[in-house]
Amino acid sequence: MKTILNLIWLVFSGFWLFLGYLLAGVLLCVTIIGIPFGVAAFRIGVYALWPFGYTTVERRDAGAPSFVVNVLWLILAGWWLALGHILTGLALCVTIIGIPLGVANFKLIPVSLFPLGREIVRTDQAFTDRW
């Protein structure tokens, strides 16, 4: 089921969201200071390309610096990417088949707003390896 949802996702929103994250990552990597932001954009872009079967968990070792950097990310790229998730999520929720895809888009909004200090893991590893 995950593969079928991922293939439908890839066609209707995943590829376009991936391109958005790729563009944000390239623009952010222009400066040396922006490279960590660009790497985060590339990492989330791959997650947005094939999201079913994966989830995000908070890293325990991420502290105040990740909060400060997340605020900068929010200003530079986060709200644009979150807006893309909102628009594609609403468009996908128009049909009954697209509702799970729209919900998945809405679940990607928090990670698009605050990506640093989060780790992308397989769904079955989300709670087993973390404790």
Side-chain angles (χ1 to χ4, degrees), residues 100-124:
L101 303 174
V103 169
N105 247 318
F106 297 140
K107 287 182 180 179
L108 282 169
I109 291 172
V111 76
S112 70
L113 288 173
F114 305 109
L116 299 152
R118 296 185 97 22
E119 188 176 355
I120 299 168
V121 297
R122 296 187 66 84
T123 306
D124 55 352

Side-chain angles (χ1 to χ4, degrees), residues 9-50:
W9 171 271
L10 182 68
V11 172
F12 288 109
S13 69
F15 181 71
W16 309 111
L17 291 170
F18 172 73
L19 289 179
Y21 280 104
L22 187 67
L23 176 66
V26 168
L27 291 174
L28 289 167
C29 282
V30 170
T31 64
I32 292 174
I33 296 171
I35 290 175
F37 298 108
V39 171
F42 296 142
R43 183 172 41 99
I44 298 168
V46 171
Y47 176 50
L49 187 65
W50 202 261

Side-chain angles (χ1 to χ4, degrees), residues 22-108:
L22 187 67
L23 176 66
V26 168
L27 291 174
L28 289 167
C29 282
V30 170
T31 64
I32 292 174
I33 296 171
I35 290 175
F37 298 108
V39 171
F42 296 142
R43 183 172 41 99
I44 298 168
V46 171
Y47 176 50
L49 187 65
W50 202 261
F52 294 99
Y54 293 92
T55 189
T56 60
V57 293
E58 290 186 31
R59 289 181 33 208
R60 300 264 183 210
D61 58 346
S66 68
F67 173 76
V68 172
V69 177
N70 273 329
V71 171
L72 290 173
W73 167 271
L74 179 66
I75 294 167
L76 294 173
W79 70 279
W80 284 103
L81 296 168
L83 184 63
H85 284 294
I86 291 169
L87 294 176
T88 54
L90 290 173
L92 287 169
C93 284
V94 171
T95 65
I96 292 175
I97 294 172
I99 290 174
L101 303 174
V103 169
N105 247 318
F106 297 140
K107 287 182 180 179
L108 282 169

